[in-house]
């Protein structure tokens, strides 16, 4: 593991040292817990993005799906739905939106970039319909406990991130479906000749991405105690950066969930460190943009070395 992820682990350690020198409060336990809770929202979305990028595809709509999930929950509670039905409704909404992305790309043979740019705008517009752009408060105690309560000394939101990591890691590295995803992304023609229904794999992968984004929407709306129409903006870039920083190739076929969660930790540390240093938001955007460029450059270089 050290050999495979040594570079990203060293980068994470260097970032922690730099921010701890610049701000003594950075290494405080409370701040560490805060970083992990912030990372959880991005990491869960990045889990789904990992499957998509492993196929050599992209999903730019997950930020909008996060917002739709939160608003769907707020409206469900306002209509008198209970906690469990609302959870199921939110996950179903994520699966439907993700499935729509996959079906449009697979069946109409449209590039996933174009499809998800379009649905990003469509889903973002849908968020504003119930409240005309106003936020919607959520007052369900069980829902709010997800983002505010702890279990065995750790915030529930961190437990959720950890459990979902374990599930997705096992699915991707140990299951037949995971191997089909790797083969479909690494060599589509070989996958087809092997009898793999690549179009179906693509639809399922985008559904997984939608469900993971919906769970991120649950976590975020629970932390905010409300559904915001601008929730999730920019999260698609953070998720992509986390996945690529973690070593997943944009060309498809190469990557792991372990790398993704390490990449998400780097993004979380950068976000938290810049906030603690009171770096203006527009500078933060510049830094994260540069991080993505560096990650893509490293991906291109590693691909050239492999070939």
């Amino acid at each position: 593991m050290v050999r495979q992820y040594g570079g990203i682990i060293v980068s994470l350690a260097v970032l922690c040292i730099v921010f701890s020198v610049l701000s003594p409060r950075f290494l405080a336990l409370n701040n560490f817990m805060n970083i992990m809770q912030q990372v959880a929202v991005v990491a869960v979305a990045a889990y789904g993005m990992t499957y998509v990028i492993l196929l050599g595809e992209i999903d730019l709509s997950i930020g909008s799906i996060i917002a739709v999930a939160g608003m769907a929950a707020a409206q469900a509670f306002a209509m008198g739905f209970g906690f469990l039905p609302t959870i199921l409704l939110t996950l179903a909404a994520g699966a439907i939106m993700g499935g729509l992305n996959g079906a449009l790309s697979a069946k109409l043979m449209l590039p996933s970039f174009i499809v998800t740019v379009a649905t990003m705008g469509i889903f973002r517009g849908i968020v504003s319909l119930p409240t005309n752009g106003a936020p919607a408060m959520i007052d369900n105690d069980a829902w709010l406990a997800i983002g505010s309560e702890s279990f065995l000394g750790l915030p529930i939101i961190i437990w959720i991130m950890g459990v979902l990591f374990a599930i997705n890691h096992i699915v991707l590295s140990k299951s037949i479906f995971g191997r089909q995803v790797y083969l479909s992304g690494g060599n589509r023609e070989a996958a087809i000749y092997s009898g793999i229904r690549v179009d179906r794999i693509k639809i399922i992968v985008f559904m997984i991405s939608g469900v993971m984004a919906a769970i991120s929407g649950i976590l975020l709306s629970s932390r905010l105690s409300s559904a915001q129409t601008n929730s999730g903006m920019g999260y698609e870039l953070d998720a992509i950066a986390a996945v690529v920083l973690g070593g997943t190739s944009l060309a498809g076929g190469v990557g792991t969930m372990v790398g993704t969660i390490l990449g998400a930790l780097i993004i979380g540390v950068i976000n938290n460190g810049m906030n603690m240093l009171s770096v203006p938001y527009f500078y933060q955007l510049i830094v994260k943009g540069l991080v993505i460029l560096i990650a893509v450059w490293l991906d291109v270089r590693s691909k050239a070395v492999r070939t």
Side-chain angles (χ1 to χ4, degrees), residues 17 66 72 87 202 255 267:
I17 292 171
I66 288 172
I87 289 284
K202 179 183 285 191
I267 296 299

Side-chain angles (χ1 to χ4, degrees), residues 77-280:
F77 285 130
M79 294 168 62
F81 282 66
F83 174 74
L84 185 56
T86 300
I87 289 284
L88 296 176
L89 174 68
T90 305
L91 297 181
I96 290 170
M97 288 183 284
L100 177 62
N101 285 334
L104 288 173
S105 179
K107 299 304 181 183
L108 299 183
M109 293 182 289
L110 298 173
S112 57
F113 175 84
I114 300 300
V115 169
T116 57
V117 163
T119 56
M120 175 176 63
I122 293 169
F123 298 156
R124 184 64 64 178
I126 290 173
V127 177
S128 301
L129 293 179
T131 62
N132 291 321
M137 302 305 297
I138 298 176
D139 59 4
N140 182 275
D141 291 338
W143 190 275
L144 299 181
I146 295 173
S148 60
E149 299 296 329
S150 297
F151 176 70
L152 298 179
L154 278 180
I156 293 174
I157 193 171
I158 297 177
W159 282 106
I160 292 173
M161 176 181 68
V163 169
L164 289 175
F165 165 75
I167 292 171
N168 284 292
H169 174 66
I170 292 170
V171 168
L172 198 56
S173 62
K174 304 296 183 182
S175 72
I176 293 174
F177 173 75
R179 289 195 288 273
Q180 290 176 336
V181 170
Y182 278 110
L183 182 56
S184 299
N187 193 327
R188 178 184 173 88
E189 290 186 5
I192 293 173
Y193 287 137
S194 299
I196 296 173
R197 297 174 62 180
V198 176
D199 286 352
R200 185 174 68 174
I201 293 294
K202 179 183 285 191
I203 293 172
I204 294 173
V205 160
F206 273 94
M207 289 179 71
I208 293 172
S209 180
V211 169
M212 290 297 113
I215 295 174
S216 289
I218 293 172
L219 302 181
L220 185 59
S221 62
S222 176
R223 292 197 73 199
L224 298 176
S225 303
S226 64
Q228 309 281 342
T229 56
N230 62 349
S231 288
M233 280 191 172
Y235 277 56
E236 61 278 347
L237 298 182
D238 283 354
I240 293 169
V243 174
V244 178
L245 280 170
T248 299
S249 172
L250 287 167
V254 177
T256 65
M257 286 293 167
V258 175
T260 292
I261 198 167
L262 289 172
L265 284 170
I266 284 185
I267 296 299
V269 166
I270 291 173
N271 287 339
N272 179 267
M274 289 193 295
N275 284 333
M276 294 198 75
L277 296 174
S278 300
V279 176

Side-chain angles (χ1 to χ4, degrees), residues 16-58:
C16 289
I17 292 171
V18 169
F19 284 126
S20 64
V21 170
L22 295 176
S23 175
R25 294 180 295 127
F26 180 80
L27 291 181
L29 179 60
N30 287 342
N31 188 54
F32 173 75
M33 288 298 180
N34 186 43
I35 291 174
M36 294 303 292
Q37 291 181 79
Q38 292 172 350
V39 165
V41 180
V42 173
V44 172
Y47 296 158
M49 186 69 79
T50 303
Y51 292 94
V52 174
I53 293 180
L54 278 171
L55 276 185
E57 307 290 341
I58 203 74

